[in-house]
Amino acid sequence: MTLEPLTDQEQQRRIKLARLMESGIDPYPARAQRTHTNAQAIAALQKAEGSEPPVVTVVGRLVSIRVMGKSSFAHIEDASGRLQLYLRQDLLGEQPYTMFKRDLDLGDFVEATGQMFFTRTGEPSVQVEKLRLLSKALRPLPAVKEKDGRVFDAFADKEQRYRQRYVDLAVNPDVREIFYTRARIVSAIRRFLDERGFVEVETPILQPIYGGAAARPFETYHNQLKQKLYLRISDELYLKRLIVGGFERVYEIGRDFRNEGVSFKHNPEFTQIEFYMAYADYRDVMDLTEQLIAYVAQEALGTTKIVREGQEIDLSPPWRRWQLRDAIREITGIDYEAYPDAESLYEAIVRIGGTPERKSSWGKLIDPTLINYVEPHLIQPTFLYDYPLEVSPLAKRKPGTANVVERFEFFIGGLELGNAFSEINDPLDQQERFLATSRALAAGDEEAHPLDEDYILALSYGMPPTGGFGMGIDRLTMLLTGKESLREVILFPHLRARS
């Protein structure tokens, strides 16, 4: 189990384990018998209202023990909450009571049967008539401090919390609540889309050609097929193949993988929702997006108002719609259309104190300018729309323009949450774009989009006008739970290996 020497507490717990087994007690039985959750047991007692209190069998982890001679109090905790146990030697029996006092520890799981009652202080409790050990914990949980009935400063080292999330969850109810909220967020997204005629589908994670975003992929190898494969960076191209095939509204919630850096808002493995809607454009998707986020917040939190870094944010529609060019010009003073080449735009950014990469293309100079100067100002929900064609190889060109596409990103609390397009449905235009990006890839741009000939083939059979959307579930959860890092909302974030 471990190469580290056992602590005194761990040695004592193993002694107790051996003693339990010698006395014929199975410390890890295969089954539990539960009639009520802790919350249900409390509710049943409250409902009795003077009639015969219910007899219940409850289970949970021991989180407090207070021994007072021949009677004791303890608390157990299950997923529904805490419940007090009252144990008396004369009712429970001498041997089981001795086992409880001598051989059980905080962190052990137990099963308790008895009649519910209110103590003199009014606390719902079980008068235990039968006690059974369900699982002996061989390691003690970190010390838990309490104040005013709330747990605080338990297992506070962040890296250790992420490495041993199971311990973090066991001692920090607030952390468990983050992931209950995340589950409600995902369920609400599904309900919203299902009610509007979208069909949930599954598309390949292992792909012979990655695509749908600008990112480096993770590579793997299929031994039987003798074929290099990639973990998908997006679901987009397969979902749009389904639009070609006759589905009109599809979505997928799944894992995507990008072989890139880690930050408070980036993780190489992440969960994304993408949907595609035939006979729609990016303005239709804007309408749906603001409705979706407001709906999810109401369902998951009970409100459309949240607070981030001390500022109240109202998620209810309508949201601000701001052309990207106007936003950058208003905040930085730079009109990027006035600088037609990378060199002149680079110099303009340097003059305002920016530090762009010297070798960046014209389009790739715009994105860091947006991130560094504009994004921090986008606290209330905002759509930035109409992006340069060069950085949007899958978005449809805006009518009447040469280098602007119908694309938007949306921002809340200074954080970019999602990306959407009017999708290209002209196979010749898409082929030309892919040829340009594949040349960039061959020239050393590791994030350039590769050529996908089968996707071009699919488009050549005809795809109706379509609006597409992608959003990171992790970032949305981070926003709605008020957390400052993706690691707080991912159950098991990837960390560097320990030396």
Side-chain angles (χ1 to χ4, degrees):
M1 180 180 292
T2 177
L3 298 178
E4 299 174 358
L6 296 178
T7 66
D8 289 343
Q9 282 198 56
E10 290 165 358
Q11 290 174 351
Q12 287 301 314
R13 288 180 180 234
R14 295 197 179 210
I15 291 170
K16 293 176 181 181
L17 176 70
R19 191 159 53 217
L20 287 164
M21 296 174 70
E22 288 170 4
S23 65
I25 295 172
D26 182 356
Y28 303 104
R31 292 171 184 79
Q33 304 295 326
R34 173 162 64 172
T35 62
H36 298 70
T37 66
N38 291 343
Q40 289 169 344
I42 293 170
L45 174 62
Q46 293 168 338
K47 188 177 180 180
E49 294 181 353
S51 60
E52 185 71 11
V55 174
V56 300
T57 298
V58 291
V59 299
R61 187 192 293 271
L62 282 167
V63 292
S64 77
I65 297 174
R66 192 167 79 253
V67 177
M68 301 177 296
K70 294 186 178 182
S71 65
S72 299
F73 286 96
H75 283 91
I76 59 171
E77 184 174 88
D78 68 3
S80 72
R82 289 190 178 193
L83 179 62
Q84 181 167 267
L85 305 182
Y86 176 53
L87 305 99
R88 283 176 23 206
Q89 180 175 304
D90 60 346
L91 182 62
L92 187 60
E94 184 175 349
Q95 184 177 357
Y97 188 73
T98 299
M99 176 201 72
F100 168 78
K101 287 200 308 179
R102 185 185 64 185
D103 294 329
L104 296 194
D105 296 289
L106 296 180
D108 294 350
F109 284 87
V110 297
E111 174 187 289
T113 300
Q115 191 168 51
M116 295 290 297
F117 74 104
F118 286 107
T119 64
R120 282 179 294 182
T121 60
E123 182 170 358
S125 304
V126 180
Q127 184 162 279
V128 180
E129 301 170 12
K130 183 180 178 183
L131 184 71
R132 189 162 70 103
L133 177 63
L134 296 179
S135 179
K136 181 67 183 167
L138 298 184
R139 286 176 177 264
L141 291 169
V144 176
K145 301 177 183 179
E146 293 192 21
K147 183 178 182 180
D148 300 327
R150 290 181 59 80
V151 176
F152 73 102
D153 197 28
F155 205 43
D157 183 289
K158 282 191 174 182
E159 181 167 333
Q160 193 177 6
R161 286 178 48 223
Y162 301 149
R163 289 188 186 278
Q164 294 182 279
R165 181 69 88 184
Y166 39 89
V167 179
D168 188 26
L169 295 167
V171 300
N172 284 315
D174 290 349
V175 175
R176 291 202 298 272
E177 184 55 34
I178 292 170
F179 295 99
Y180 286 130
T181 300
R182 180 179 175 127
R184 291 194 296 269
I185 288 168
V186 174
S187 295
I189 290 171
R190 281 196 167 97
R191 281 196 302 277
F192 180 90
L193 294 174
D194 290 346
E195 290 169 1
R196 286 157 181 79
F198 286 82
V199 177
E200 184 173 9
V201 297
E202 295 175 314
T203 61
I205 291 176
L206 289 175
Q207 301 180 350
I209 300 175
Y210 61 92
R216 291 176 60 192
F218 287 94
E219 298 180 5
T220 187
Y221 189 77
H222 194 301
N223 293 326
Q224 181 66 31
L225 298 180
K226 297 180 171 54
Q227 182 182 21
K228 180 192 287 188
L229 295 172
Y230 304 91
L231 295 180
R232 69 182 177 196
I233 61 174
S234 170
D235 316 351
E236 178 168 347
L237 300 188
Y238 280 93
L239 291 174
K240 287 192 290 190
R241 285 173 168 94
L242 299 180
I243 300 293
V244 171
F247 286 88
E248 292 189 0
R249 296 188 172 199
V250 293
Y251 74 94
E252 183 168 11
I253 299 174
R255 307 294 274 177
D256 291 314
F257 309 84
R258 297 181 184 177
N259 199 350
E260 56 191 18
V262 176
S263 74
F264 78 96
K265 61 180 180 178
H266 292 94
N267 196 64
E269 178 182 3
F270 62 100
T271 304
Q272 186 168 216
I273 163 68
E274 291 194 38
F275 69 73
Y276 293 84
M277 179 167 55
Y279 311 107
D281 67 7
Y282 73 145
R283 294 188 181 276
D284 299 310
V285 177
M286 283 187 202
D287 294 339
L288 200 63
T289 298
E290 60 189 10
Q291 295 167 24
L292 168 66
I293 301 303
Y295 175 89
V296 168
Q298 186 65 47
E299 292 290 298
L301 306 178
T303 179
T304 57
K305 291 184 170 64
I306 61 173
V307 175
R308 183 170 175 81
E309 296 181 352
Q311 299 187 71
E312 184 174 271
I313 299 171
D314 187 354
L315 301 175
S316 54
W319 295 0
R320 183 182 189 183
R321 302 187 182 197
W322 201 5
Q323 197 169 47
L324 175 65
R325 179 183 177 188
D326 292 341
I328 291 178
R329 179 169 51 196
E330 183 173 322
I331 291 174
T332 69
I334 296 174
D335 180 358
Y336 55 73
E337 291 289 352
Y339 302 93
D341 57 72
E343 182 64 29
S344 61
L345 182 56
Y346 173 87
E347 295 296 339
I349 295 169
V350 170
R351 282 196 295 272
I352 64 168
T355 56
E357 291 188 18
R358 186 81 196 187
K359 295 181 180 179
S360 293
S361 66
W362 182 87
K364 289 200 171 182
L365 287 168
I366 293 173
D367 193 50
T369 306
L370 163 62
I371 292 170
N372 294 330
Y373 292 97
V374 179
E375 193 171 297
H377 295 276
L378 305 179
I379 304 304
Q380 297 301 322
T382 303
F383 294 112
L384 292 186
Y385 66 95
D386 291 353
Y387 276 61
L389 182 148
E390 183 184 332
V391 293
S392 311
L394 295 162
K396 197 172 186 68
R397 186 180 279 104
K398 188 172 184 178
T401 69
N403 64 346
V404 178
V405 297
E406 294 191 346
R407 171 187 173 189
F408 73 79
E409 293 181 307
F410 67 98
F411 301 80
I412 306 172
L415 191 66
E416 187 256 307
L417 286 213
N419 189 28
F421 315 141
S422 296
E423 304 292 340
I424 296 176
N425 60 343
D426 178 346
L428 300 180
D429 185 11
Q430 186 65 81
Q431 182 175 6
E432 183 180 332
R433 305 266 197 103
F434 277 171
L435 289 172
T437 57
S438 62
R439 286 193 293 270
L441 184 65
D445 184 348
E446 295 180 318
E447 294 187 349
H449 202 294
L451 173 64
D452 188 334
E453 293 182 354
D454 182 75
Y455 179 66
I456 303 287
L457 179 62
L459 286 185
S460 71
Y461 285 95
M463 185 176 85
T466 298
F469 168 94
M471 176 180 66
I473 299 291
D474 309 321
R475 285 197 191 179
L476 179 62
T477 304
M478 190 172 104
L479 176 79
L480 295 185
T481 58
K483 299 304 173 185
E484 298 303 318
S485 170
L486 288 184
R487 290 181 175 183
E488 293 287 339
V489 301
I490 297 173
L491 276 169
F492 300 102
H494 187 74
L495 302 170
R496 291 183 185 276
R498 283 176 167 161
S499 58

